[in-house]
Amino acid sequence: MSMVASRNGTPVEAPVAPPKVVRQRRIRPGLLGLAILLIAVGGLGAAFAVTSVRSTGTYLAVARPVEVGQQITADDLVPVQLSGGRELRPVPADRMKDLLGLRAAVRLTPGTLLTTTHLTDAPLLGPGQQQIALGLAADQVPARKLHPGDKVLLVSTPDSSSSGAEATRGGTRFEATVIDTAVPASSDVVVYLALAVRDVPAVVVLAADDRVALVLVEAA
């Protein structure tokens, strides 16, 4: 009971109001389990993201220039540490032995990450082709250096020993692909070419008479 003042100032007893009771909401077990699951999944996702960013792998990179068609050796490659490189799909360093002996499908430059698209096991000599060696003077080579995979034309030149119409006859063209080049002790340059089988006899005869000019059509 509590005392309150009446109109004439005399205190009188008044009933005490009961305290308000706040009802506690029930937490459904299903919703609680779902919340815990979402928190756990979010934590795992964050941990996976951090691990993916920070994870490093050892991959292969090009150590020195490699021309098109050149066989890969261990000295051409170097292992490098790379963070988050899975999206680039480089070749793992533990696969080096599998790559030795393969040929470069494109020209490889130092510092480039190696991928499987850079290599091939296909021979430079295609079906229906044969390889010939053509000796040329330095001033007959159409570029400072020819690279494997360069597309060239062999053009027949006129026969200087003939006269009249035969002397001006020439201009027959043969398509070929450079396989390799070499510079021996002499000043000549030896160019190894992949040539269609049907064209080999004619080119050999022209080369013996020094009646072949080499034209670069497309660089590899």
Side-chain angles (χ1 to χ4, degrees):
M1 301 293 287
S2 62
M3 304 297 290
V4 296
S6 63
R7 291 182 178 179
N8 55 8
T10 304
V12 295
E13 294 182 357
V16 178
K20 293 183 179 180
V21 178
V22 180
R23 295 183 179 180
Q24 295 183 351
R25 296 182 180 179
R26 288 187 176 180
I27 300 177
R28 298 180 181 179
L31 294 178
L32 179 59
L34 179 60
I36 295 174
L37 179 61
L38 291 176
I39 293 173
V41 170
L44 289 175
F48 177 77
V50 172
T51 303
S52 298
V53 172
R54 294 182 179 178
S55 61
T56 60
T58 305
Y59 304 98
L60 292 175
V62 181
R64 61 184 183 180
V66 180
E67 301 296 340
V68 177
Q70 183 176 329
Q71 287 188 320
I72 299 297
T73 66
D75 294 333
D76 298 326
L77 306 176
V78 61
V80 295
Q81 294 285 334
L82 182 65
S83 299
R86 296 179 181 177
E87 294 78 7
L88 303 176
R89 297 183 179 179
V91 179
D94 58 6
R95 288 193 55 199
M96 179 181 288
K97 291 183 179 180
D98 300 334
L99 308 181
L100 302 182
L102 296 180
R103 298 181 182 274
V106 296
R107 188 180 301 175
L108 303 178
T109 56
T112 304
L113 280 176
L114 190 71
T115 67
T116 54
T117 58
H118 293 154
L119 304 177
T120 180
D121 57 356
L124 289 181
L125 278 176
Q129 289 184 325
Q130 290 179 336
Q131 179 175 317
I132 67 169
L134 190 63
L136 300 171
D139 58 357
Q140 292 178 307
V141 180
R144 277 190 171 185
K145 185 176 182 181
L146 292 174
H147 301 89
D150 287 348
K151 304 297 182 182
V152 296
L153 280 179
L154 301 176
V155 182
S156 63
T157 58
D159 187 355
S160 59
S161 62
S162 302
S163 59
E166 292 184 359
T168 60
R169 187 176 302 168
T172 306
R173 301 182 178 186
F174 308 93
E175 296 181 352
T177 303
V178 176
I179 293 179
D180 199 0
T181 59
V183 181
S186 64
S187 59
D188 290 344
V189 178
V190 180
V191 182
Y192 300 92
L193 300 170
L195 196 67
V197 174
R198 65 178 182 275
D199 297 333
V200 170
V203 172
V204 169
V205 172
L206 291 171
D209 294 337
D210 196 18
R211 292 182 51 208
V212 176
L214 191 66
V215 180
L216 178 61
V217 177
E218 181 182 348

